[in-house]
Each structure stands twice: as structure tokens, then as C-alpha cells.
Amino acid sequence: MASLASVIFSNPGHALSPNILSHDAKPRKICYSQCSTFFLPPHRSPICRMGFVSGLERKRSLKTCIFASVTVDTPVNAYPEKVQLPKGDCWSVHKFGGTCVGSSERIKNVAKIILSDDSERKMVVVSAMSKVTDMMYGLIYKAQSRDEAYISALDAVLEKHKSTALDLLDGDDLSSFLAQLHHDISNLKAMLRAIYIAGHATESFTDFVVGHGELWSAQMLSCVIRKNGVDCNWMDTREVLIVNPTSSNQVDPDLKESEDRLEKWYSKNPSKTIVATGFIASTPQNIPTTLKRDGSDFSAAIMGALFKAGQVTIWTDVDGVYSADPRKVSEAVILKTLSYQEAWEMSYFGANVLHPRTIIPVMQYDIPIIIRNVFNLAAPGTKICRPTEDETVQGLESFVKGFATIDNLALVNVEGTGMAGVPGTASDIFSAVKDVGANVIMISQASSEHSVCFAVPEKEVNAVSELLQSRFREALNAGRLSQVQVIPNCSILAAVGQKMASTPGVSATLFNALAKANINVRAIAQGCTEYNITVVIKREDCIRALRAVHSRFYLSRTTIAVGVIGPGLIGATLLDQLRDQAATLKEEFNIDLRVMGITGSRTMLLSEAGVDLSRWRDLQKEKGAVADMEKFVQHVHGNHFIPNTVLVDCTADSSIASHYYDWLRKGIHVVTPNKKANSGPLDQYLKLRALQRQSYTHYFYEATVGAGLPIINTLQGLLETGDKILRIEGIFSGTLSYIFNNFTGGRTFSEVVAEAKQAGYTEPDPRDDLSGTDVCRKVIILARESGLKLELSDIPVESLVPEPLKDSASAEEFMQKLPQFDQEMSKKRQIAEDAGGVLRFVGVVDMVNQKGEVKLQTYKNDHPFAQLSGADNIIAFTTTRYKAQPLIIRGPGAGAEVTAGGVFSDLLRLASYLGAPS
């Protein structure tokens, strides 16, 4: 073999052509058929002819022959009696990929699975050991690049299989396999040397080299099965599978010829267990080739069709087919069943199922395919088959089985008024695309024929655009076409499900989910069979869109990324409430409120998977970073695994409220008890509300008035149902409610204020409560909600802070001097009592007179406002419907627990709007 290169290249300038090694005068050729009886049992036929015309005599050609791997089985009788090939359900086909046979332990595990299968007959298709095919392609690349590292790389291939064999085999099986392995490596070394000299490898050479991995793994597995006392032969599928290469870098199986060859092979090698090589086959001219991408799966499907098997099991390293890519959607579920059409659609759109062509052979004979995990035998896997009537009627699974995406695409949009009604325009467009050799993934055309757009891989779009510009230059110059536009950075999202065809509203649900996640759709395509609905979206929105639609069809929980701003009294209480309720929300309501970040004014805590709320205080101390609002928002919203984001502002900071507009514009929902945004400058408020109404982004602020009481929601309900608000009147301050409920008998005003401060009802500086500003903000919020366009300065406020004390240096100084003014407040109380009433500090929205006010007012003892106790709030709505008897809401209107509860309620309302079951 050392002289092989000199035999091939006796003259300089030789090069490898697509089919032959040639030079100018007499073409010299290598025959690498299995031409020696020393290596080939008498019954084996030549299968590796490449058609190289030999100019050498027979004796010389034998000395320079390169052999393919052949059997190490014990030869059968040279003239055996013809054995009929049984077909049908008695056969089960198993396919094991490279990961499944990646080591000696894994090969033993595969043998156990085969031995435990109680099928009468078994056909086992195996790939090369993990990474070996890549290693073989690497050998070709290195050799034709004239990189002598191919020698050491080939030694690594030898060592990998040698060490595996030493661990698996013994006795004659081991010695026979090692002899064959060394022989194969020697032949490969000579062939690679020839490629090294030529600097080029034909496709036939390449296919021959890379196919050795399957030959070796099949031989080792068959030996391991025989060691367990089971009759087993191995099959070099190049002797059986005949395929016709196509122009699209694929092959079409010749089932008739393959069936004839299978019957001949089986008559000479009858066995109840056969281990066959995947991936490799032969052309009708007996030239070795491969089945290209996912070839081993294709081999198994073809074998299933040839044997008319009961089922084909594809063993892999996942538990089955997921409803979406689990790397992108962590809540993706294993699908129990898929129809052939659904599997076909999902695989076309990039789902890790099967290559579409794998399904064709078994589909013809209704042979089910089972996808199972070789490392988790307890998992039942996914069954791909024709749907049964029971499944169709019962509808046990979702209308949409799953979702798949294709990234790195560009849209090409051809439009112009001259396209309408002109036959052949579309033909000319796609003829140009064909000339470029680009692959069209999706096509969409408006019924007006004004435009047609299609998606192609981004790497091909420039060539497509340039050719279209050239091909249609005349039409563009004349104005018949207005433009050939390229929209880069696109992705395709496909929803797949056979039941979509007979289910109204699936499309509406899909687009509603995308809209609520603030995803813009650029193009749409749907076939009349409705097996899939395809949309084109921005690449940056792809994962968020996938998660949104997956969640909407109840294949996962409604997941919302939550960012909490202000972990003070209310924020901390909210976090504790979320912690206590999280499990119940997930299990009973399919809602996952995942806190991705917590920030205060100084430090912030960020998490990629969600903050552990059982110890968020400790984590903030241990892992807290310097607070940065921009980074915080980017982190919470930038997690594309979660489609929806909400920021919860638990501060009273106007600077935080000023960000709401930008957050909503970015598609971030906002929930807050902070009154500053809705009571701030009117123009900013109107701008914020206009944005909210125009988008699917939500802004909830129930807790801004009355803490957890349903005041805002009630008001909105009245207005939305056509009721007319006449007057809103109420005690809106829990602090002032407590003070005046206890300002009775002989007690002084300052005494009651001091008591309220001591009990924690007031702000650190009681003037913030007594000034009436907080009540004024609540009044302006309700007034604006009712339709009045008022500024905060338009509301007159009767302050309870004595004028001389407004400028007191501190709260302590204020409290010391407050008793000096008790007499004035006592007089007002006495006047109210003499009139048979009580004092109450109220806010009023007067819709009739288009105004609002905040004041101290006297109410009769039988009035509902006089019946309060503690720190309760009470609000009365007088409307056209509730005129004689106002609608009254009463309850605790202050305190961390109820305020946080109001915020929590808004979060759950948001989840309901986003698709959670109600």
C-alpha cells in the first residue's frame, strides 16, 4: 500500500475530478471493491466500485486495491438454501444515534435494550460512535488542505475504536475485529495520502471515508449481542439500500431495488436480529454514498418500510418531542403523540424531531415512529402516527401541538401597482431566486397582487436582492414596480397542530398572545390545510414571542418577569406575600410571578432564574450591587425566556414615576401604589393614559386610592357600563380617619395625633398627613379618572397644620408646639357635637360643578361617615343609578398588608389579561 500514491500519480498534474482520478494520457484508476476472498466471504458481492477505469493488468490492480470494511461473521455455506424474508409486525426497527453508542458502556446499554425487546424479530440501525463522523470529515478536510495532521487524527480514530473493542470484545471476535480495523485504517491512510497529494477529494471518496464509523459500530454491537447468546448478523447497508442522488444534495431511495437486494441478502444471512449500518448506502451503479443530513434516521425509516415493520423506534438523548425548544421555553412539555403531518411541519420549521424525509417511507405503510430516550427508559417518549378517531373526538391535547422557530432570515418584499393582474410576475420573481440557488422558506402575497414577500436565509439575501434589482430594472425605472425591499434580522415562528383545521379562533388566540407581548408581526402565511400558521417577526423578539404563544395555549404557566422597586414597608410585605402564595398560584392557577430583580435607592439584587423569596433579604446583603435603574430595567425586561415583564413601583418617588411612559412604550407593564404619576402634571398624565389605551401594555394603580379597597376598579366599572358620576365623597386617609374617630370626649387634638404617631399610623413627620396633600392627590386621581382635567393646584385644601407650625424645623419641634393650637380644634369639635354630628376630614369630587375639594366637614351621627372606627376608609359614589342611595365602599384604607394586597391583586389581574385562566 505504500506505493499507492506513486501508482495513482505516476505523472504530475493529476487532480481528482468528480468521478475519477485522471490525467491527460492514460487514466489510472483505483478499484476498491471487496475483491479479495481473504477479506470477503464468498457470498458477498462487490459494492464499492467507483468506476475508475484501470489501465493496469489484473495482477497489478489486486496489489493496489483499497477495501471497504467487511464482516467478521462466521461465513455461511457458500451455497445456502434460499430463505424467505418474513415481513410485517413481527419486526421492530430500532435506531441508535452516535450519542447512544458513544462509548463501550453505552454500547452495552444499547445491547441490553435490544435483548429486552420481546419482539419476534429486530432490525437495529446504528450511527457511528459520537463525534466519529465529524472526525472522518476532518480527515478529508485536513488531507485535501495538505495538512499532515490527518495522520495523527486518523490514529485518534484508530485508538478510539480499538480501546472500545478491547473493553467490549474478547476471543475470536476481538481478534477478528481488530484485524479488520487495522486493515481499514491502513487503506484509509493510503487513500488520504492520495487525497493529500491531489489536494482534492471527490464526493465519492468523501462518502466512502466517512462511512467507516457506521461499519465499525455495527460490527462491535453485533458481537456484543452475540456474546449474550442471541443469533445476530450485521449488515453493510451499502449492499442493500440503493438511492438515487438528486440535485438538492439529497437522495431518493429506490425501494423496489432495495427490497430485491434485501431479500437476496437475507436469504444468505437469515437472522432474527440484524444490526445494520445507518447513514450509508449505494447508488444504482454500486458507488458508495450517504443519506446526507440525519441519514441514520432515514436509514431506519427505509428499513421499517422494507420490512413492513410494526414500529420504528428512534433512540436519542431526549425524552421525546417537546412542544417547543426547551432551551428557549423552560416549561416546554413532552408531547405524547404527533400525527405524521404535525411531525413533518415541526421538523421543517427547525424543531428537533425528525428530518421531514424520514417520515415519508413509514407514512406510506402507517408504521408508527417512537422517539425515546436511551438514558431514561421510564419515559414513554413521543409516538408519531396517523391520528385515531378517539384522539380526534376526545380532544385530549391542545389544538396547537407545538411551536418551532427559524432564525437568521431576511424578508424580501417586491411591490408595485404594475404587478396587479399581470400573469407571470411571481414566476419571474421566483425564477430569479432559483437562479441564485436561494432557499425560499415562506411566501406571502396580498390578494390585491400589489406585493409579494418571501423569507430567505440572511446569508443569501444580498444575492437575491441584487439579481431581482437587475432582472426588474426596467420595471423599476418605469415605475411598474416601486421597490425591492430587504428587511433583515427576521425570524419565523410557526404554530403546528392538526386540530387547528377544525377549530375556530386558533389564529385569533395566536395573534392576541403576540399582541399582548408587544410583538409586531411582519408577514403571515397559512396553508388551506391549517396544519401550521407562520409569522415573521423581528429576530430580537423571537424567544419572547415563542414563550408568549406557548404560554397562551396552556402548554406552560403564564410567566411574568417581575421587578420590584422599593423594598420598603409595602415592597417588603408584597415580596413576602408573593413568597407565601407562589406555590398555590403555580399549581392551581397556572401563574408564575417570577421576581427577577429587587432594587432600592442604594442596592439592587438581580437574578437570572428568579430571586429565592424565602431569603431575599439575606441575598440582597450578600449579592447586592450598586443600584442602577437602567441596568435593573434592562435585566428584568431583557430575559427573553419570559415573554411578559412588569415593574412594581412601591415607592412614593416622583422621579421613578417619570419613567412609566418609557417603560410602557417598551412593552413593560407597570403596577404601582405610587400616586405621583396620576396626580402629577396633567399633560404628562394624559400622555401616559393615551399610550396605555393605544397599546396592549397595562398600567394598574388600584392601590393609589384606598390601598386594597376596590375603588378605582369600581369607578372604572361604573363608567364603562354607562353610568354617570355625580359626586364622589370619602374619607381617604387612614391616618386622619383614626385621628378623628378618636378625637372625642375630653381628648385634645395634639394628644390624639401623638397617639397615632406612636402607633405608626402617621408618616414620620405628621405634617405630611395633616396637610391634606395625600388626600388631595387621591381626589385628583379620582377626578381625572372620572373625566375632569384638573391640576393638583386646582383643588382647594383645608390644611390641619397650623400656619405658624408649617415651617417648624423638625417633626419633633412640630409635635412640641402643636398643643398650643388644641383650643381651636376643640371649638370645631364642640360646634359639630352641638349640631348632633362629628368632624370628618374628607375629599370630594363634584362632577356637577366640575371641581374637587379637600376639607374638614361635619356629618350627622346617623351618616355612614360617622359610623367609622379605627383607621377605616369610606367612599360614597353618587351616580344616576345610585342617586337616592349612594354606592358605599368601606374598609381598611391604610397599612402595609392591605396596600401590598392591593398591588398583589393588580398583578393577578395582569396575569389574567395575559392569558392565565380565570
Side-chain angles (χ1 to χ4, degrees):
M1 296 307 298
S3 62
L4 175 64
S6 61
V7 172
I8 300 174
F9 302 108
S10 56
N11 289 312
H14 295 171
L16 284 163
S17 71
N19 291 307
I20 62 171
L21 288 164
S22 63
H23 75 98
D24 52 322
K26 293 183 179 180
R28 305 287 180 94
K29 288 188 19 165
I30 307 173
C31 167
Y32 63 101
S33 301
Q34 297 167 313
C35 50
S36 169
T37 56
F38 179 78
F39 295 108
L40 179 67
H43 63 275
R44 293 295 174 103
S45 60
I47 56 100
C48 300
R49 295 193 299 275
M50 283 190 180
F52 298 150
V53 179
S54 176
L56 305 176
E57 65 274 17
R58 176 67 177 162
K59 181 177 179 182
R60 181 72 177 273
S61 70
L62 281 172
K63 292 181 180 178
T64 60
C65 183
I66 296 179
F67 300 92
S69 290
V70 295
T71 183
V72 295
D73 293 0
T74 304
V76 298
N77 192 305
Y79 302 96
E81 183 180 343
K82 185 174 178 68
V83 178
Q84 187 70 32
L85 171 64
K87 296 181 181 180
D89 291 350
C90 59
W91 287 96
S92 66
V93 177
H94 297 264
K95 178 266 174 178
F96 294 93
T99 306
C100 303
V101 292
S103 66
S104 57
E105 282 303 313
R106 291 184 177 179
I107 292 174
K108 290 177 185 177
N109 184 49
V110 167
K112 288 179 183 176
I113 292 173
I114 299 305
L115 294 169
S116 64
D117 180 3
D118 57 4
S119 300
E120 183 182 345
R121 298 175 181 275
K122 288 159 277 193
M123 158 59 72
V124 184
V125 178
V126 292
S127 299
M129 293 180 70
S130 179
K131 307 297 182 186
V132 167
T133 300
D134 289 341
M135 294 170 75
M136 303 303 281
Y137 276 116
L139 295 175
I140 296 288
Y141 177 78
K142 287 182 174 66
Q144 66 184 3
S145 302
R146 293 195 169 97
D147 180 354
E148 292 193 355
Y150 79 85
I151 299 173
S152 59
L154 184 61
D155 290 340
V157 172
L158 170 63
E159 183 56 36
K160 181 178 181 74
H161 290 85
K162 181 179 178 180
S163 61
T164 303
L166 289 170
D167 197 22
L168 289 172
L169 311 179
D170 52 31
D172 291 342
D173 282 342
L174 176 61
S175 57
S176 298
F177 176 78
L178 290 179
Q180 185 63 51
L181 176 65
H182 282 285
H183 177 76
D184 290 343
I185 294 294
S186 178
N187 282 343
L188 288 171
K189 189 172 291 185
M191 179 172 280
L192 292 167
R193 180 62 182 171
I195 293 170
Y196 176 91
I197 294 170
H200 176 70
T202 66
E203 183 179 352
S204 298
F205 265 46
T206 300
D207 287 347
F208 174 69
V209 171
V210 300
H212 278 72
E214 280 73 16
L215 297 168
W216 296 325
S217 62
Q219 292 176 58
M220 286 191 287
L221 178 58
S222 64
C223 289
V224 173
I225 293 173
R226 279 201 304 273
K227 276 179 66 175
N228 287 273
V230 174
D231 175 38
C232 179
N233 283 331
W234 82 276
M235 174 194 292
D236 181 343
T237 48
R238 294 179 298 188
E239 298 180 33
V240 173
L241 292 189
I242 303 301
V243 297
N244 293 298
T246 67
S247 59
S248 56
N249 195 33
Q250 292 187 0
V251 295
D252 292 331
D254 185 338
L255 293 180
K256 181 65 176 69
E257 179 63 23
S258 298
E259 188 171 21
D260 292 343
R261 295 200 181 198
L262 175 62
E263 290 178 352
K264 291 177 184 176
W265 185 94
Y266 189 84
S267 70
K268 299 174 183 178
N269 302 274
S271 178
K272 289 189 174 182
T273 302
I274 301 170
V275 179
T277 56
F279 185 57
I280 56 177
S282 293
T283 67
Q285 296 76 36
N286 292 324
I287 298 173
T289 187
T290 66
L291 301 185
K292 315 306 176 189
R293 179 188 166 195
D294 295 316
S296 293
D297 288 351
F298 198 18
S299 299
I302 296 170
M303 285 297 179
L306 293 177
F307 282 97
K308 309 295 189 295
Q311 70 178 38
V312 175
T313 303
I314 307 292
W315 293 91
T316 179
D317 56 358
V318 293
D319 287 342
V321 180
Y322 283 88
S323 53
D325 187 338
R327 295 168 298 182
K328 298 176 180 178
V329 181
S330 58
E331 291 87 0
V333 299
I334 298 293
L335 300 172
K336 294 180 181 179
T337 62
L338 279 174
S339 70
Y340 294 120
Q341 289 84 358
E342 288 168 340
W344 198 334
E345 294 281 357
M346 288 186 70
S347 59
Y348 175 79
F349 285 102
N352 187 21
V353 187
L354 297 168
H355 194 279
R357 62 187 178 148
T358 303
I359 300 166
I360 298 172
V362 294
M363 189 175 174
Q364 296 177 24
Y365 300 100
D366 281 349
I367 300 170
I369 300 176
I370 316 294
I371 312 293
R372 292 194 62 189
N373 190 346
V374 72
F375 306 116
N376 182 15
L377 301 182
T382 300
K383 184 177 184 180
I384 300 172
C385 59
R386 197 172 300 281
T388 64
E389 281 188 25
D390 289 342
E391 286 177 331
T392 305
V393 172
Q394 293 173 4
L396 296 177
E397 296 193 46
S398 174
F399 302 123
V400 178
K401 281 291 184 70
F403 302 89
T405 58
I406 304 177
D407 294 324
N408 303 318
L409 300 177
L411 268 183
V412 180
N413 181 43
V414 183
E415 66 178 66
T417 55
M419 293 174 59
V422 180
T425 304
S427 173
D428 293 341
I429 292 171
F430 293 110
S431 175
V433 176
K434 179 185 176 184
D435 292 344
V436 172
N439 181 30
V440 177
I441 308 296
M442 189 206 82
I443 304 169
S444 180
Q445 181 176 4
S447 59
S448 65
E449 301 183 53
H450 176 70
S451 68
V452 59
C453 71
F454 54 92
V456 296
E458 204 157 36
K459 62 184 179 182
E460 299 172 353
V461 72
N462 288 337
V464 170
S465 176
E466 289 171 6
L467 185 55
L468 287 174
Q469 296 275 3
S470 173
R471 190 74 57 90
F472 291 98
R473 180 164 287 116
E474 182 180 338
L476 287 165
N477 292 337
R480 294 193 303 275
L481 289 185
S482 57
Q483 65 173 339
V484 176
Q485 179 189 15
V486 172
I487 304 171
N489 303 319
C490 293
S491 292
I492 276 180
L493 168 65
V496 176
Q498 192 158 341
K499 294 178 188 175
M500 296 194 308
S502 57
T503 308
V506 172
S507 297
T509 303
L510 176 76
F511 291 113
N512 189 37
L514 291 172
K516 287 187 174 181
N518 212 37
I519 306 293
N520 184 43
V521 175
R522 293 188 162 181
I524 304 166
Q526 179 177 359
C528 60
T529 59
E530 293 189 59
Y531 286 151
N532 89 67
I533 302 171
T534 305
V535 297
V536 180
I537 55 180
K538 290 181 183 178
R539 184 191 305 159
E540 65 207 53
D541 292 336
C542 183
I543 295 177
R544 194 155 49 92
L546 178 63
R547 184 62 181 271
V549 296
H550 190 274
S551 177
R552 185 64 185 86
F553 282 91
Y554 301 99
L555 294 175
S556 69
R557 302 181 181 98
T558 300
T559 306
I560 304 174
V562 181
V564 177
I565 303 168
L569 187 58
I570 294 172
T573 305
L574 173 66
L575 289 167
D576 291 341
Q577 289 178 354
L578 288 170
R579 174 200 64 205
D580 296 340
Q581 195 66 7
T584 302
L585 288 174
K586 287 181 182 180
E587 293 167 11
E588 297 185 16
F589 300 99
N590 280 338
I591 297 172
D592 185 1
L593 299 175
R594 198 170 299 179
V595 178
M596 307 304 291
I598 303 168
T599 185
S601 58
R602 295 185 179 85
T603 61
M604 65 180 180
L605 173 65
L606 305 178
S607 173
E608 292 295 334
V611 176
D612 180 359
L613 295 183
S614 65
R615 51 190 302 266
W616 68 267
R617 291 175 178 84
D618 294 334
L619 290 172
Q620 194 173 35
K621 293 175 184 176
E622 296 167 8
K623 300 183 179 181
V626 176
D628 184 317
M629 186 58 67
E630 186 177 344
K631 288 182 180 178
F632 177 80
V633 174
Q634 184 178 2
H635 171 82
V636 176
H637 186 52
N639 189 323
H640 292 304
F641 288 84
I642 301 178
N644 303 296
T645 305
V646 59
L647 292 176
V648 183
D649 175 19
C650 293
T651 72
D653 193 333
S654 58
S655 65
I656 301 296
S658 68
H659 291 292
Y660 293 178
Y661 183 85
D662 289 334
W663 293 344
L664 291 168
R665 195 163 50 84
K666 291 177 181 177
I668 302 172
H669 308 287
V670 177
V671 170
T672 184
N674 187 346
K675 293 178 277 291
K676 298 299 173 62
N678 284 11
S679 62
L682 180 62
D683 59 336
Q684 293 182 20
Y685 167 80
L686 294 174
K687 184 180 176 184
L688 186 66
R689 293 305 305 273
L691 176 64
Q692 180 195 6
R693 293 187 185 101
Q694 292 167 7
S695 70
Y696 279 93
T697 310
H698 298 288
Y699 171 43
F700 293 140
Y701 44 87
E702 181 65 73
T704 57
V705 181
L709 297 178
I711 297 171
I712 299 290
N713 198 32
T714 299
L715 175 57
Q716 290 173 341
L718 292 170
L719 293 169
E720 288 166 3
T721 57
D723 202 354
K724 184 178 179 181
I725 306 298
L726 301 176
R727 184 181 180 90
I728 304 173
E729 188 173 3
I731 297 172
F732 296 105
S733 168
T735 302
L736 295 174
S737 177
Y738 178 87
I739 288 173
F740 283 100
N741 286 338
N742 289 277
F743 184 41
T744 59
R747 304 191 70 186
T748 64
F749 186 71
S750 61
E751 178 187 347
V752 177
V753 172
E755 180 182 281
K757 186 175 186 298
Q758 183 68 31
Y761 284 113
T762 72
E763 295 292 335
D765 188 338
R767 284 176 294 182
D768 293 339
D769 298 294
L770 298 174
S771 68
T773 303
D774 183 65
V775 176
C776 185
R777 288 190 180 278
K778 294 175 182 179
V779 168
I780 201 74
I781 290 171
L782 293 175
R784 289 175 175 178
E785 199 73 31
S786 302
L788 296 183
K789 295 181 179 180
L790 299 176
E791 293 282 7
L792 199 61
S793 58
D794 295 331
I795 308 294
V797 179
E798 182 181 345
S799 175
L800 299 179
V801 179
E803 192 65 34
L805 301 185
K806 286 183 178 178
D807 297 325
S808 294
S810 65
E812 289 74 17
E813 181 183 337
F814 168 77
M815 291 302 298
Q816 287 173 3
K817 294 182 178 180
L818 184 59
Q820 300 172 16
F821 302 88
D822 281 341
Q823 188 175 358
E824 183 180 346
M825 289 300 298
S826 295
K827 283 182 181 179
K828 292 181 180 180
R829 179 182 63 189
Q830 188 61 50
I831 293 170
E833 289 177 352
D834 292 344
V838 294
L839 290 175
R840 294 293 182 258
F841 195 79
V842 297
V844 178
V845 177
D846 186 349
M847 293 298 294
V848 175
N849 296 302
Q850 302 282 290
K851 67 176 185 178
E853 57 183 333
V854 176
K855 61 185 179 179
L856 189 63
Q857 185 164 319
T858 299
Y859 290 91
K860 293 292 184 180
N861 288 326
D862 60 352
H863 193 282
F865 286 16
Q867 311 300 315
L868 286 187
S869 61
D872 281 2
N873 283 188
I874 187 168
I875 297 91
F877 291 95
T878 303
T879 72
T880 53
R881 292 177 190 161
Y882 297 92
K883 195 169 185 179
Q885 184 85 15
L887 174 63
I888 291 178
I889 299 173
R890 173 181 171 174
E897 286 291 336
V898 292
T899 304
V903 176
F904 198 167
S905 178
D906 273 350
L907 283 172
L908 297 181
R909 185 152 64 110
L910 173 64
S912 178
Y913 277 43
L914 295 175
S918 55

